[in-house]
């Protein structure tokens, strides 16, 4: 049985995805900082529960996830999650293995669409899918109802069969093409301030930053999507303001606005060369599912070699 140690929640999730893709028995030890984090521990339990629903043998006990995977067949499914569980973390665990099938899978999700701890559902459609399509991997996810952390929304996803595809030349110069700010039950001045600061820091024009007021949401929400273009490949990174803690209490303070914007700006300013690293990290399990070696990812982001998921890919390959 393969032994893997995950130092982050994302690495644990990606290790599970790789185990499902390779159908390899695997024991994943979770770093104590992840185990004792209320949200991450709760989400790992939710992932294991979903795998049980899909008839995958998987246990999570004393900080160790043990998975005895079999082939994950194509499915039409409805997956209902609680109001603290992000849809994307479930999707990114099972979708790489589902992409290995010869027919598409259709999944309707109820769960959190925007969470400070992970990517939004929009990231799948506008961030990950355009990059994967260059490699013959095709996904789609549409957000039907927003669900900010502590409330559930809805999203529908499609995972299509892979198509063998020759990789063309990759242009490595990346630029920011636009920004979208989402607010729910928050004064518009909040978004206007964010727009002003982002225009200045990211050197984007005023008309390339849009503000969207989200309706039919029961709690407060604020998120920012930053859109990129690398040659003719579009992509996107998503960021969600941490307005609620892991117990569901509203915790926003004015200082958090500056911390949040700093995180958004800092991440984006480090994404001007090649495809943004967070996208390539999430792409790797799909690339292995499509039969590529992990080294292919270096063509679109050389820094991937320093990522934990890149090291794990080599473990699952050997």
């Amino acid at each position: 049985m393969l032994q893997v140690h995950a130092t982050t929640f994302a690495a644990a999730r990606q290790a599970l995805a790789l185990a499902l893709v390779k159908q390899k028995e695997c024991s994943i030890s979770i770093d104590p900082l992840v185990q004792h984090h209320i949200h991450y521990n709760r989400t790992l339990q939710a992932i294991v529960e979903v795998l049980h629903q899909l008839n995958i043998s998987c246990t999570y006990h004393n900080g160790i996830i043990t998975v005895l995977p079999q082939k994950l067949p194509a499915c039409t499914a409805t997956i209902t999650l609680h109001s603290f569980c992000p849809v994307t973390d479930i999707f990114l665990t099972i979708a790489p293995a589902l992409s290995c099938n010869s027919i598409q899978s259709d999944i309707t999700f109820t769960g959190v669409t925007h969470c400070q701890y992970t990517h939004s559902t929009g990231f799948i459609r506008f961030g990950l899918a355009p990059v994967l399509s260059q490699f013959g991997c095709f996904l789609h996810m549409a957000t039907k109802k927003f669900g900010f952390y502590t409330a559930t929304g809805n999203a529908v996803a499609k995972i299509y069969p892979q198509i063998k595809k020759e990789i063309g030349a990759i242009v490595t110069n990346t630029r920011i093409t636009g920004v979208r700010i989402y607010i729910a039950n928050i004064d518009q001045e909040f978004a206007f301030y964010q727009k002003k600061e982002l225009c200045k820091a990211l050197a984007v024009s005023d008309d390339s930053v849009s503000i969207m007021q989200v309706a039919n949401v029961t709690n407060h929400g604020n998120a920012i999507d930053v859109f990129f273009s690398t040659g003719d490949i579009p992509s996107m990174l998503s960021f969600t303001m941490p307005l609620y803690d892991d117990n569901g209490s509203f915790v926003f303070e004015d200082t958090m606005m500056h911390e949040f914007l700093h995180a958004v700006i800092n991440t984006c300013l480090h994404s001007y060369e090649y495809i943004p690293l967070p996208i390539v990290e999430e792409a790797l399990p799909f690339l292995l599912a499509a039969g590529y070696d992990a080294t292919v990812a270096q063509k679109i982001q050389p820094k991937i070699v320093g990522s934990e998921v890149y090291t794990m890919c080599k473990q699952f390959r050997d």
Side-chain angles (χ1 to χ4, degrees):
M1 180 180 288
L2 182 64
Q3 308 286 326
V4 176
H5 179 68
T7 65
T8 66
F9 167 81
R13 168 172 53 70
Q14 289 160 342
L16 273 169
L18 290 166
L20 294 173
V21 165
K22 293 297 186 179
Q23 298 175 45
K24 185 170 286 192
E25 295 184 2
C26 181
S27 175
I28 306 163
S29 60
I30 311 298
D31 190 90
L33 288 176
V34 179
Q35 289 180 50
H36 300 141
H37 190 286
I38 294 173
H39 171 78
Y40 290 142
N41 186 60
R42 189 163 52 199
T43 305
L44 286 172
Q45 291 172 346
I47 290 173
V48 170
E49 289 171 9
V50 170
L51 292 179
H52 286 164
Q53 293 173 30
L54 298 173
N55 298 316
I56 298 296
S57 178
C58 185
T59 61
Y60 179 31
H61 184 64
N62 290 337
I64 296 175
I65 296 177
T66 303
V67 59
L68 307 173
Q70 56 191 20
K71 181 176 173 58
L72 194 58
C75 62
T76 298
T78 297
I79 296 177
T80 302
L81 308 168
H82 54 70
S83 59
F84 291 90
C85 186
V87 166
T88 49
D89 284 327
I90 305 299
F91 177 84
L92 290 168
T93 304
I94 62 177
L98 290 172
S99 73
C100 297
N101 292 299
S102 59
I103 57 175
Q104 77 180 51
S105 291
D106 297 270
I107 305 176
T108 300
F109 288 98
T110 296
V112 176
T113 65
H114 290 73
C115 170
Q116 61 264 35
Y117 295 114
T118 193
H119 312 290
S120 70
T121 47
F123 168 84
I124 303 298
R125 180 176 180 177
F126 298 108
L128 184 60
V131 174
L132 285 177
S133 68
Q134 305 298 311
F135 297 88
C137 305
F138 299 95
L139 312 171
H140 179 76
M141 181 173 281
T143 306
K144 297 299 185 182
K145 179 179 182 292
F146 280 66
F148 291 96
Y149 195 56
T150 73
T152 58
N154 303 104
V156 293
K158 296 180 183 293
I159 303 101
Y160 298 98
Q162 305 150 359
I163 298 172
K164 293 299 179 184
K165 187 175 181 181
E166 290 294 324
I167 307 169
I170 302 293
V171 177
T172 58
N173 184 42
T174 297
R175 61 188 178 89
I176 294 175
T177 58
V179 178
R180 185 173 298 145
I181 300 168
Y182 301 91
I183 53 172
N185 299 319
I186 291 176
D187 192 287
Q188 266 199 319
E189 291 300 320
F190 197 87
F192 289 147
Y193 174 78
Q194 290 180 331
K195 178 175 181 174
K196 182 185 73 173
E197 293 299 308
L198 290 170
C199 284
K200 181 170 60 177
L202 300 179
V204 293
S205 63
D206 185 82
D207 60 1
S208 66
V209 181
S210 61
I211 297 172
M212 176 179 172
Q213 292 214 42
V214 181
N216 301 319
V217 174
T218 56
N219 59 353
H220 303 283
N222 175 223
I224 296 173
D225 291 344
V226 181
F227 297 85
F228 300 84
S229 179
T230 305
D232 61 352
I233 305 173
S235 61
M236 181 267 271
L237 292 177
S238 63
F239 307 86
T240 302
M241 172 81 84
L243 298 178
Y244 295 88
D245 67 14
D246 298 331
N247 297 311
S249 300
F250 186 77
V251 293
F252 177 76
E253 297 176 355
D254 289 343
T255 56
M256 294 170 63
M257 169 73 88
H258 302 288
E259 293 169 3
F260 177 59
L261 285 175
H262 176 76
V264 173
I265 291 163
N266 191 48
T267 301
C268 293
L269 291 179
H270 282 84
S271 299
Y272 278 129
E273 293 183 4
Y274 300 92
I275 303 292
L277 180 61
I279 298 171
V280 181
E281 289 176 328
E282 300 298 1
L284 264 176
F286 291 92
L287 297 181
L288 261 68
Y292 292 98
D293 189 88
T295 54
V296 73
Q298 294 179 52
K299 293 184 177 181
I300 57 175
Q301 178 48 266
K303 291 179 182 177
I304 191 66
V305 296
S307 293
E308 191 168 359
V309 65
Y310 186 85
T311 301
M312 288 192 303
C313 284
K314 291 194 290 185
Q315 288 181 269
F316 279 91
R317 181 192 61 194
D318 297 337

